[in-house]
Amino acid sequence: MSDATSIKRTGTLRLILVPSVITLAVTLLRLVGELQHWPSALFNPSAGGPGSIVGITWLAMVFGIYFAIKLSGQGEGPATIKRAIVHAVIGLAIVVGGSLIAGALRENFHGFLVVTNAALAIAALIQYPAWPALFKTLVAYAYAARIPVAILMYFAMRGNWGTHYDAVPPNAPEAMNQLGPKYFWLALLPQLIAWVGFTVVSGALFGSVTVAIARRRKPAAQAAAKA
C-alpha cells in the first residue's frame, strides 16, 4: 500500500467518523422506540418500516451533501460537476426502472429482491467514474451505517423482537420463517447491497446538485463583494 493511498484512507475514515456515530445513535434510538412501542409515525415497526420519521434513510442525503462539500473544498471534487449530476440522474433512472420491473415481479418474492438489489448496485457503480472520491466516501459511510444494522437484524430475527428489523413482509414465502433464509434475503442482502446502493446514489445526487449550486453562487458573491 502506497503512502498516498494510506493517507487517503485515513482521510476518508476521519470524514465519515462523526456521521457514522450519528447514524449508529439514530439506529439505536429507533430500536428503543420500537421496543418501547413509541408512536408508529416516528418508529414504524412494520416490515420495512415505511414512512418512519426516525431512521437512517434520510441521512444518506444529508451526509451526501456534507461529504460533497468537504471533498470539493479539499480539491477532491469531480472533473466536471455537470458529469457528476448526469451520472447521478442516470443512476436514479436505473433505480426507478428497476423498481418498475421489480414491481411487476412482486408475486415472485425472490425475483423482486434480486432485481431491486441488482438495480441499486448498478446505479451506484455508475457514480464512480464521475466523482471517484465521493463514491468511495459514500461506500465507506454506507457500510459503516449498514453493517451494524445487519448485525442488529440477526439478533432481532433470532429473538423475534417485534420490530421492523425482524418483521416479514406479508407476501413472503413460508421459507422466510426460518432464520437462515430470512436473514439472508431480508437482512444481509438488502443491507449490504441495496441500501448501500441507495446511499451512494442519493448521496451523489444531492451532493452533486448542492456543489453545483454553490459553484454558481460563488462568482456572483465575489462580484458583489468587488462592487
Side-chain angles (χ1 to χ4, degrees):
M1 182 188 301
S2 67
D3 291 341
T5 301
S6 178
I7 292 172
K8 284 186 177 181
R9 288 186 178 180
T10 302
T12 298
L13 292 176
R14 287 177 179 172
L15 186 57
I16 71 169
L17 179 58
V18 172
S20 298
V21 171
I22 292 173
T23 303
L24 179 59
V26 174
T27 296
L28 296 177
L29 174 62
R30 180 164 188 181
L31 173 62
V32 172
E34 292 186 24
L35 290 174
Q36 296 298 318
H37 306 293
W38 291 347
S40 58
L42 298 174
F43 305 91
N44 188 354
S46 62
S52 180
I53 295 175
V54 176
I56 64 175
T57 302
W58 325 110
L59 296 180
M61 293 158 248
V62 174
F63 290 132
I65 294 172
Y66 171 75
F67 296 144
I69 292 174
K70 283 289 189 179
L71 290 169
S72 184
Q74 295 170 4
E76 295 187 72
T80 64
I81 193 63
K82 183 180 295 185
R83 185 185 180 194
I85 293 175
V86 169
H87 277 240
V89 171
I90 291 174
L92 179 62
I94 291 174
V95 172
V96 173
S99 298
L100 293 175
I101 296 173
L105 297 172
R106 187 167 289 277
E107 297 301 320
N108 182 342
F109 189 78
H110 295 94
F112 171 82
L113 292 176
V114 168
V115 171
T116 299
N117 281 272
L120 283 160
I122 293 170
L125 289 172
I126 286 175
Q127 308 311 311
Y128 177 78
W131 195 341
L134 181 59
F135 171 85
K136 293 175 182 178
T137 303
L138 285 168
V139 168
Y141 164 71
Y143 278 110
R146 293 295 168 176
I147 287 176
V149 177
I151 295 172
L152 171 61
M153 291 182 76
Y154 173 79
F155 291 102
M157 290 178 174
R158 186 176 180 180
N160 295 312
W161 291 354
T163 66
H164 92 281
Y165 295 109
D166 58 290
V168 177
N171 64 325
E174 187 67 24
M176 290 300 129
N177 292 320
Q178 301 174 18
L179 180 59
K182 180 180 180 180
Y183 182 69
F184 175 78
W185 288 101
L186 300 181
L188 200 63
L189 192 67
Q191 291 301 324
L192 301 187
I193 297 181
W195 283 113
V196 170
F198 171 84
T199 299
V200 172
V201 175
S202 60
L205 178 61
F206 278 77
S208 298
V209 170
T210 299
V211 169
I213 294 173
R215 288 185 178 181
R216 288 178 66 90
R217 287 181 175 177
K218 188 174 181 179
Q222 291 175 339
K226 292 178 180 179

